[in-house]
Amino acid sequence: MRAVGGIVVIVGCSLLASCADTPPAPVEDRSATGRQSTARPKTYESALRPGKPYTVRRGDTLYSIAFRLGMDFKALARRNAIRAPYTIFPGQVLATDLRSGSTAAKKPAKQSPSASNNARTSQPKPKTVTSPKAPSKTTPKTTPNAPKPDATAVTVPKRKVGSVGNKPVSRWRWPSAGRVTRGYSNNLHKGIDIAGTRGAPVRVVAAGSVVYAGTGVTGYGALIIVKHNEDYLSAYGHNDRLLVEEGEQVAAGQEIAKMGSTGTDTVKLHFEIRRRGQPVDPLKILPKR
């Protein structure tokens, strides 16, 4: 009996020794898992709701306001008796209820010259082009080593908004070469997310005019909105760097921004297509790949 007991003791010690060399099994943190599964994904719901009058702030354009309202820019312009090129001013009150009848928007109180000059509208003021005998105010003082001014910087076509007309888009292109990481959802996600690396090129999907370039639309970071015709707009969000300005005409496939993570926590492009103000699934419009 003592011999058997000795064997049992030896076997027990061996098991304890082997357990000492083996790390404990990981413990699942169910509470952490629960938090991750219930985390609400980023939404792109309209930051503004139609019905309440909106006071124009510096940096707004008619297009960016209509974008935030989820409204056709033409309908918003008609409601407020604003004609092309849809110039608006800080302090101006816009009706957003779209009820029948046309009521002119209330113009802001008398502004000082400095406030008027600083106001950014839907069409930036073009630089003055004058005859050789009357030099422009924007012409820099000439020095022996100074380069000649870039003539394209003051040409009217580059600064003309809405000159794309109403031609249908003959071909759509992808804005980025990355893979789609999140699809379209009518209620929460108004477009698609495309993965990529910081600084990767973001390209316009069709020819058009840049009608917004800035950071004033909450949730989109550095955003570009391009008007392709009277029906379609495309939007490019979370850019690291914007390469075009409002009013600039862009060609299909032209690089307009560098991919980034402004307004979000990961590097990606949030891309939307809007038809008459309403979001549509880009995957039903972009070519298959």
Side-chain angles (χ1 to χ4, degrees):
M1 293 296 295
R2 285 196 296 270
V4 173
I7 293 173
V8 171
V9 171
I10 293 172
V11 171
C13 293
S14 300
L15 290 173
L16 289 174
S18 62
C19 290
D21 295 333
T22 304
V27 178
E28 181 182 3
D29 186 352
R30 294 184 181 273
S31 61
T33 303
R35 285 196 301 270
Q36 292 175 359
S37 61
T38 58
R40 186 179 179 183
K42 180 178 177 63
T43 64
Y44 291 84
E45 297 175 282
S46 298
L48 300 177
R49 299 294 180 189
K52 183 178 180 181
Y54 178 78
T55 302
V56 177
R57 300 177 300 177
R58 186 183 178 195
D60 286 338
T61 70
L62 185 84
Y63 295 92
S64 69
I65 296 171
F67 184 89
R68 295 167 66 192
L69 289 166
M71 183 184 297
D72 186 2
F73 69 91
K74 299 188 298 298
L76 182 61
R78 283 195 303 269
R79 176 67 181 87
N80 293 277
I82 300 174
R83 298 182 179 180
Y86 310 121
T87 301
I88 57 177
F89 304 91
Q92 186 173 355
V93 180
L94 301 181
T96 68
D97 53 3
L98 297 189
R99 63 172 178 263
S100 60
S102 177
T103 303
K106 294 181 181 179
K107 293 187 177 182
K110 188 176 181 180
Q111 298 177 338
S112 64
S114 59
S116 178
N117 291 335
N118 290 333
R120 191 166 125 209
T121 65
S122 62
Q123 182 183 19
K125 295 180 180 179
K127 296 181 180 179
T128 304
V129 181
T130 59
S131 62
K133 294 182 180 180
S136 171
K137 294 180 180 180
T138 59
T139 304
K141 296 180 179 179
T142 56
T143 59
N145 297 325
K148 294 182 179 180
D150 184 3
T152 61
V154 294
T155 54
V156 174
K158 182 179 179 180
R159 309 297 297 171
K160 190 176 182 180
V161 176
S163 60
V164 292
N166 198 28
K167 295 180 180 179
V169 176
S170 59
R171 178 190 175 192
W172 295 94
R173 304 166 183 255
W174 277 80
S176 174
R179 64 184 180 87
V180 176
T181 57
R182 187 179 177 189
Y184 170 86
S185 170
N186 185 49
N187 294 326
L188 298 176
H189 201 242
K190 306 299 184 180
I192 59 175
D193 288 348
I194 303 176
T197 57
R198 189 177 304 279
V202 174
R203 302 185 184 279
V204 67
V205 294
S209 295
V210 179
V211 293
Y212 181 79
T215 57
V217 180
T218 304
Y220 287 80
L223 172 70
I224 292 175
I225 301 176
V226 176
K227 173 186 175 184
H228 302 293
N229 52 36
E230 294 300 310
D231 293 326
Y232 283 98
L233 301 174
S234 60
Y236 313 74
H238 305 310
N239 299 291
D240 191 54
R241 181 183 170 198
L242 306 183
L243 304 180
V244 292
E245 300 176 351
E246 289 173 16
E248 186 172 343
Q249 292 189 42
V250 289
Q254 178 179 334
E255 183 178 1
I256 57 174
K258 297 291 186 181
M259 190 179 291
S261 59
T262 55
T264 187
D265 54 358
T266 57
V267 175
K268 63 184 177 183
L269 168 66
H270 177 74
F271 174 71
E272 297 185 13
I273 293 179
R274 303 232 175 162
R275 182 177 183 270
R276 297 177 183 172
Q278 296 300 309
V280 295
D281 187 354
L283 295 182
K284 293 182 178 180
I285 295 179
L286 298 177
K288 302 293 183 182
R289 67 177 189 181

